[in-house]
Amino acid sequence: MLIDYYKAIEDSSARMLEAAKAEDWDGVVRYEGTCAVLIEQLRRHAKTEELDVASRIEKSKIMRRILHNDAQIRYLAEPWLAHFDQATSGTPAFLH
């Protein structure tokens, strides 16, 4: 069912958040890849399947949770990204 893809994406998003909280950036990238594969599969199946009313309501709730997870991941990743930028450019982060 189509809703199962949304649930799987949410699960991977939650795992990505847990990895970010643990500063496991390789894990974040791994789960991000999983999300990308699931999203592609969702897009393919959405061409031939439709959600019923109850599933559309559930989808909306799932999407809000995914967006919340994404915002938290971005917040946690900001210091790491600044450090990465500094390490790769040789310029102090405060000058960016």
Side-chain angles (χ1 to χ4, degrees), residues 10-20 27 31 69:
E10 179 186 15
D11 180 63
S12 188
S13 168
R15 291 175 190 265
M16 196 167 28
L17 175 56
E18 290 307 312
Y31 290 119
N69 290 348

Side-chain angles (χ1 to χ4, degrees), residues 7-57:
K7 291 175 182 178
I9 294 166
E10 179 186 15
D11 180 63
S12 188
S13 168
R15 291 175 190 265
M16 196 167 28
L17 175 56
E18 290 307 312
K21 286 179 180 178
E23 297 184 7
D24 174 10
W25 304 114
D26 290 334
V28 170
V29 171
R30 206 169 34 254
Y31 290 119
E32 183 179 30
T34 300
C35 281
V37 169
L38 289 166
I39 290 167
E40 184 56 37
Q41 291 172 345
L42 170 68
R43 285 184 179 140
R44 205 170 356 161
H45 287 275
K47 292 178 183 178
T48 58
E49 297 177 41
E50 290 188 23
L51 295 172
D52 59 26
V53 174
S55 293
R56 283 195 300 264
I57 292 168

Side-chain angles (χ1 to χ4, degrees), residues 78-79 81-87 89-96:
E78 282 180 16
L81 291 172
H83 175 74
F84 180 77
D85 282 346
Q86 178 184 5
S89 71
T91 307
F94 64 87
L95 293 178
H96 288 171

